[in-house]
Amino acid sequence: MVQEDSKLLEEFLKGDEQAFESLVCKYKTVVYGTIHSIVGNIQDAEDVSQEVFLNIYKTLNSFRGQSSLSSWIYRIAVNKSIDNVRKKKNKAISLETELDNDEKLKLLDVLSSKEDSDLVVLEKTEFQKTVSKVMNSLPEKFRVILTLKELEGLSYDEISKIMNISVNKVKVWLFRARKKLKKDLALSD
């Protein structure tokens, strides 16, 4: 994976636009998913995703290789997402935004089968809405860290590099984020 990224980066820096398109294709789903989990709505996630890839396009020649290309891309996505959330804080933000189903299922580890009754499906949908509401009410650092660990499945080391914090701080924030999420979910019952 890292070797493939290096090759694409090298080709892009030599002027091959197709190499950049390949990078976009490779990372667009995970970038969008990460952004959506942080910003909390589809329109903002689409806008921020475009900003991220535009930023990557403009600054790819400044990538120094001190981390993996994927970590660098995640970091840009997280930073742009946080910027978006901060800009929106002064406006009324609806807490009723919803995560897409893949994120809900991954976050909650809720597996639905086609054999579920309508009542079970309704209960799961209501629970997913509640989790979405609670996630969007968490402090941004907790939303980011839960997204990177629970939804994206990144390691502590990768999260540390993306968020520019120590691995120990990642563990502490993740512990606190999970605790707060669990507490807030219990209060919302």
Side-chain angles (χ1 to χ4, degrees):
M1 194 181 285
V2 174
Q3 188 176 18
E4 178 186 342
D5 288 350
S6 296
K7 183 179 177 192
L8 290 172
L9 176 61
E10 185 179 316
E11 289 172 10
F12 173 72
L13 294 176
K14 289 179 181 176
D16 183 356
E17 296 291 325
Q18 187 65 37
F20 182 74
E21 288 179 30
S22 296
L23 277 174
V24 171
C25 287
K26 180 177 180 180
Y27 287 103
K28 69 181 177 184
T29 303
V30 293
V31 165
Y32 175 83
T34 300
I35 292 168
H36 187 264
S37 295
I38 296 169
V39 301
N41 72 61
I42 293 169
Q43 184 61 48
D44 285 347
E46 290 172 355
D47 292 346
V48 173
S49 292
Q50 289 179 1
E51 284 180 41
V52 166
F53 285 110
L54 183 60
N55 184 283
I56 290 168
Y57 183 83
K58 290 178 178 178
T59 61
L60 200 53
N61 61 346
S62 68
F63 175 68
R64 290 184 232 112
Q66 294 174 334
S67 64
S68 68
L69 183 61
S70 62
S71 291
W72 185 73
I73 290 171
Y74 269 113
R75 183 169 182 123
I76 291 170
V78 167
N79 288 341
K80 290 284 185 190
S81 299
I82 290 171
D83 289 347
N84 177 272
V85 169
R86 287 179 181 159
K87 287 177 190 173
K88 298 273 182 181
K89 262 188 182 172
N90 294 333
K91 298 177 183 177
I93 299 175
S94 170
L95 295 178
E96 289 298 322
T97 58
E98 58 183 76
L99 299 171
D100 66 41
N101 283 336
D102 289 339
E103 292 170 324
K104 290 177 189 175
L105 293 175
K106 194 171 180 184
L107 176 65
L108 303 173
D109 199 25
V110 176
L111 302 172
S112 68
S113 71
K114 293 182 179 171
E115 297 149 10
D116 284 344
S117 70
D118 290 340
L119 182 60
V120 171
V121 171
L122 180 62
E123 287 174 356
K124 287 181 180 179
T125 302
E126 288 303 313
F127 184 64
Q128 291 168 343
K129 285 181 183 177
T130 301
V131 171
S132 177
K133 183 177 179 179
V134 171
M135 276 289 288
N136 286 321
S137 70
L138 292 175
E140 73 183 32
K141 69 181 180 184
F142 289 170
R143 268 196 324 266
V144 169
I145 209 152
L146 282 170
T147 297
L148 294 176
K149 183 65 178 164
E150 304 300 341
L151 297 178
E152 299 302 326
L154 298 180
S155 69
Y156 293 127
D157 190 50
E158 290 170 314
I159 296 169
S160 168
K161 290 175 183 168
I162 291 166
M163 296 184 73
N164 200 25
I165 58 176
S166 71
V167 171
N168 284 337
K169 191 172 262 190
V170 168
K171 291 176 182 179
V172 169
W173 284 6
L174 188 57
F175 173 79
R176 290 178 183 165
R178 287 174 175 156
K179 185 176 176 181
K180 179 144 180 59
L181 179 64
K182 186 176 179 181
K183 177 185 169 199
D184 291 356
L185 283 171
L187 292 175
S188 68
D189 285 343

